[in-house]
Amino acid sequence: MKSMPQHLEPVNGRYVQMDDVEWADFPEALSEGGITWKLLNVSPEMGAWTAYYKCPKGSSFAPHVHIGPGEYFLTKGRMHVRGGTGEGGETAVAPGYGYEACNAKHVQTYFEEDSEFYMTFLGPLNFIDEDGKTVALVTWKDVQDAWEAATSR
Amino acid sequence: MKSMPQHLEPVNGRYVQMDDVEWADFPEALSEGGITWKLLNVSPEMGAWTAYYKCPKGSSFAPHVHIGPGEYFLTKGRMHVRGGTGEGGETAVAPGYGYEACNAKHVQTYFEEDSEFYMTFLGPLNFIDEDGKTVALVTWKDVQDAWEAATSR
Amino acid sequence: MKSMPQHLEPVNGRYVQMDDVEWADFPEALSEGGITWKLLNVSPEMGAWTAYYKCPKGSSFAPHVHIGPGEYFLTKGRMHVRGGTGEGGETAVAPGYGYEACNAKHVQTYFEEDSEFYMTFLGPLNFIDEDGKTVALVTWKDVQDAWEAATSR
Amino acid sequence: MKSMPQHLEPVNGRYVQMDDVEWADFPEALSEGGITWKLLNVSPEMGAWTAYYKCPKGSSFAPHVHIGPGEYFLTKGRMHVRGGTGEGGETAVAPGYGYEACNAKHVQTYFEEDSEFYMTFLGPLNFIDEDGKTVALVTWKDVQDAWEAATSR
């Protein structure tokens, strides 16, 4: 127990030279078709993180709900986001920007050509089964753990 | 598809006269001992919410993880927060302030006397079983749904 | 320059026994009438902070704009918030909860009786003159600096 | 005055086809050398925004402080960020990722070749003079206003 607010220092800036970071395999339990990624940042206080994804033609992410807003910048290719706020979802074509709102449910995210995107996330991804039950709740810490496990091999 | 950023208006302020709001039962699946609550605010963009809780002597919340930071102001009584960042947890005594960090795991939150607290949450609560598996992921929207279900009876 | 994302640890929880913290004078440049306060928390990553204010009858805060949302819990007394989203402002009566939205402009915050409130802030307060020009931009760091200056005397 | 918390709906997702958005001149008061930009998103509740910038060789941004964290993805060229957390600043080379922490002060941001970057901001930019005084506090709303003024001509 501590009765006075602690003195806290400002957070340091960080820089990542992206080509110096190797691609890691994205967990197969949460995707199909050989998606690879680079973790760029985690923000432990807010629970945010940032990553870059490379998605081959035909690959996809498993169904998930965004718990907190996420923003993507599709730099290459074409991404189908099914089950967004509307009924039929969205098709993003590079260069494209998307704001995925807090509680957006994506029953499938599918890439019909080789694609790449950068994405910032505030809060976790809730991967779900057909009944909407949580299969994996992926927070910034799980993301960092997965990254470190993949890159320490 | 919309090619120009939309014009968005500032959010409106909100006010709640707390004594005019009736107490609702907090879901028994997530607590024991007759906890009641008042929902004060939800913030859909960030996924935040704010509530006031009344916890009788002997009541407790089920095990949960804070997905995003939460801040409480204990206005009355005494609250045991077990399984915080340290090994033995924390005992808050009114008036007491606590910052529960993103990813803080509370295996039990127990009230040894009649207690009340105000709390702001950024992001959901992940209620878990003994194996750490998700029993209920409670987002701002689930909180609002639970509140509206409880108060529309 | 660092080419790999750094490993970052979760943030620690914090607790403040509020009665053990002494009241400090709130800066007279930004208020009138003898307001005192206790700083409870700063969150450097997001730029958030939390404090408790004691405002004697007749006291007031200087004109300011909330840069980021703020939420108050008025525990005692009566607070006039002029120049809110509407034309005539709001009168909060304890116990009262208010959500002050990002960009809310308060030309005067006035206490017509002895009052106290708890408040969480995401982002700074922009104190302004009659022309809307910045007199003082008060971030979490300025708040911590002011607190430490006041309590180290 | 409203005594019950309002029912609030989830936020909608948004999409911007970036090539369909025209470049606008970035305000000359805050930059030199012909910087142009595209606004991609504003988030009024949190006070966040997202934009894409095109910076010709020799261009620069005026001195500013990040009030809240910002993250950039430099897609082309080379950017000197002077006066970061360290003494000598940082040089970003595309493709490069940077996390600019809350309260990071950039006395100059200079482009030594034609460069482009995508950036997300949580909270405003505080443009300052040599004495550190606020010249312009640029919030999400000011950004939207500037964008709408530039594109409605």
Side-chain angles (χ1 to χ4, degrees):
Chain A
M1 196 184 294
K2 193 160 187 311
S3 287
M4 289 289 289
Q6 297 165 283
H7 175 87
L8 293 174
E9 292 294 330
V11 170
N12 287 327
R14 301 188 274 270
Y15 180 73
V16 177
Q17 193 59 50
M18 290 165 68
D19 282 348
D20 293 352
V21 180
E22 283 184 57
W23 294 102
D25 293 337
F26 194 77
E28 287 186 23
L30 307 177
S31 65
E32 280 187 8
I35 293 174
T36 56
W37 67 308
K38 298 181 178 192
L39 179 63
L40 300 174
N41 186 62
V42 294
S43 292
E45 186 187 280
M46 291 198 293
W49 83 92
T50 302
Y52 195 74
Y53 298 91
K54 185 159 72 176
C55 306
K57 178 177 175 174
S59 64
S60 62
F61 287 103
H64 60 273
V65 180
H66 288 260
I67 305 296
E71 299 177 74
Y72 65 80
F73 169 24
L74 183 73
T75 56
K76 179 184 171 184
R78 187 178 283 259
M79 173 168 66
H80 292 283
V81 183
R82 293 287 159 205
T85 39
E87 58 300 333
E90 195 90 70
T91 298
V93 182
Y97 165 86
Y99 176 87
E100 298 301 324
C102 184
N103 294 57
K105 183 176 178 178
H106 291 164
V107 292
Q108 199 192 28
T109 307
Y110 172 77
F111 300 88
E112 64 168 328
E113 35 181 279
D114 288 356
S115 301
E116 296 185 13
F117 68 98
Y118 168 95
M119 193 157 183
T120 52
F121 302 85
L122 175 56
L125 291 176
N126 183 26
F127 285 88
I128 53 175
D129 64 17
E130 294 109 55
D131 301 323
K133 295 216 164 155
T134 297
V135 173
L137 181 67
V138 181
T139 71
W140 75 270
K141 190 164 185 311
D142 302 300
V143 169
Q144 179 173 272
D145 289 348
W147 173 255
E148 293 179 349
T151 55
S152 66
R153 278 170 203 157
Chain B
M1 194 184 296
K2 192 158 189 309
S3 288
M4 290 291 290
Q6 297 166 283
H7 175 86
L8 293 174
E9 292 295 329
V11 170
N12 287 329
R14 301 188 274 270
Y15 179 73
V16 177
Q17 192 59 50
M18 290 165 68
D19 282 347
D20 291 352
V21 180
E22 283 183 57
W23 294 102
D25 293 337
F26 194 77
E28 287 186 21
L30 307 176
S31 66
E32 278 185 11
I35 293 174
T36 54
W37 69 307
K38 298 181 180 194
L39 180 62
L40 299 174
N41 186 59
V42 294
S43 293
E45 186 188 279
M46 292 200 292
W49 84 94
T50 302
Y52 196 73
Y53 299 91
K54 185 159 70 174
C55 307
K57 178 177 176 175
S59 64
S60 63
F61 287 103
H64 60 273
V65 181
H66 287 260
I67 305 295
E71 299 176 74
Y72 66 78
F73 169 24
L74 183 72
T75 55
K76 178 182 173 185
R78 187 178 283 259
M79 172 169 68
H80 293 283
V81 182
R82 294 288 161 203
T85 41
E87 58 302 333
E90 194 92 70
T91 299
V93 182
Y97 165 84
Y99 176 87
E100 298 301 324
C102 184
N103 294 56
K105 185 176 175 177
H106 291 163
V107 294
Q108 200 193 28
T109 307
Y110 173 78
F111 300 88
E112 64 167 327
E113 34 183 280
D114 289 355
S115 302
E116 296 185 13
F117 69 97
Y118 167 94
M119 192 157 184
T120 52
F121 302 85
L122 175 55
L125 292 175
N126 183 26
F127 285 89
I128 54 176
D129 63 19
E130 294 109 56
D131 302 323
K133 296 216 165 157
T134 297
V135 172
L137 180 67
V138 181
T139 71
W140 74 271
K141 190 166 184 311
D142 301 302
V143 169
Q144 178 173 272
D145 289 348
W147 173 256
E148 293 178 349
T151 54
S152 66
R153 276 170 206 157
Chain C
M1 195 183 296
K2 194 159 186 312
S3 289
M4 290 290 290
Q6 297 165 284
H7 175 86
L8 293 174
E9 293 294 331
V11 170
N12 288 328
R14 302 188 274 271
Y15 180 73
V16 177
Q17 192 58 51
M18 289 166 68
D19 282 348
D20 291 353
V21 181
E22 283 183 57
W23 293 102
D25 293 337
F26 194 77
E28 287 186 21
L30 308 177
S31 66
E32 279 187 9
I35 293 174
T36 55
W37 68 308
K38 299 181 179 195
L39 179 62
L40 300 174
N41 185 61
V42 294
S43 293
E45 186 187 280
M46 291 198 295
W49 84 93
T50 303
Y52 195 74
Y53 298 90
K54 185 159 70 174
C55 306
K57 180 178 175 175
S59 64
S60 62
F61 288 103
H64 60 273
V65 180
H66 287 261
I67 306 295
E71 298 176 75
Y72 65 79
F73 169 24
L74 184 73
T75 55
K76 179 184 172 184
R78 187 178 283 259
M79 173 168 67
H80 293 282
V81 182
R82 293 288 159 205
T85 40
E87 58 302 332
E90 196 90 70
T91 299
V93 182
Y97 165 85
Y99 176 88
E100 297 302 323
C102 184
N103 294 58
K105 185 176 176 178
H106 292 164
V107 294
Q108 199 191 29
T109 307
Y110 173 78
F111 301 88
E112 64 168 329
E113 33 182 282
D114 289 355
S115 303
E116 297 186 13
F117 68 98
Y118 168 94
M119 192 158 184
T120 53
F121 301 85
L122 175 57
L125 291 176
N126 184 26
F127 285 88
I128 54 175
D129 64 18
E130 295 109 55
D131 302 322
K133 297 216 164 156
T134 296
V135 172
L137 181 67
V138 181
T139 71
W140 74 272
K141 190 166 185 311
D142 302 301
V143 169
Q144 179 173 271
D145 289 348
W147 173 255
E148 293 178 350
T151 55
S152 66
R153 275 169 206 157
Chain D
M1 193 182 295
K2 192 162 187 314
S3 288
M4 289 290 290
Q6 297 166 283
H7 175 86
L8 292 175
E9 292 294 329
V11 170
N12 288 328
R14 302 187 274 271
Y15 179 74
V16 178
Q17 192 58 50
M18 290 165 68
D19 283 348
D20 291 352
V21 181
E22 283 184 56
W23 294 102
D25 293 337
F26 193 78
E28 287 186 21
L30 307 176
S31 67
E32 278 187 10
I35 293 173
T36 54
W37 68 309
K38 297 181 180 193
L39 179 62
L40 299 174
N41 187 60
V42 294
S43 293
E45 185 188 281
M46 292 198 294
W49 83 94
T50 302
Y52 195 74
Y53 298 90
K54 186 159 69 174
C55 306
K57 179 178 175 174
S59 65
S60 62
F61 287 102
H64 60 274
V65 180
H66 287 261
I67 305 295
E71 299 177 75
Y72 65 78
F73 170 23
L74 183 72
T75 55
K76 180 183 171 185
R78 186 177 283 259
M79 172 168 68
H80 293 282
V81 182
R82 295 287 159 204
T85 41
E87 56 303 332
E90 194 91 68
T91 298
V93 182
Y97 165 84
Y99 176 87
E100 298 302 323
C102 185
N103 293 57
K105 184 176 176 178
H106 292 164
V107 294
Q108 198 191 29
T109 306
Y110 173 77
F111 300 88
E112 63 168 330
E113 32 182 282
D114 289 356
S115 302
E116 295 185 13
F117 69 97
Y118 167 94
M119 192 157 184
T120 51
F121 302 85
L122 175 56
L125 292 175
N126 184 25
F127 285 88
I128 53 175
D129 64 17
E130 294 110 55
D131 302 324
K133 297 217 165 154
T134 296
V135 173
L137 180 68
V138 180
T139 70
W140 74 272
K141 190 166 183 313
D142 302 300
V143 169
Q144 179 172 273
D145 289 349
W147 173 256
E148 293 179 348
T151 54
S152 67
R153 276 171 203 155

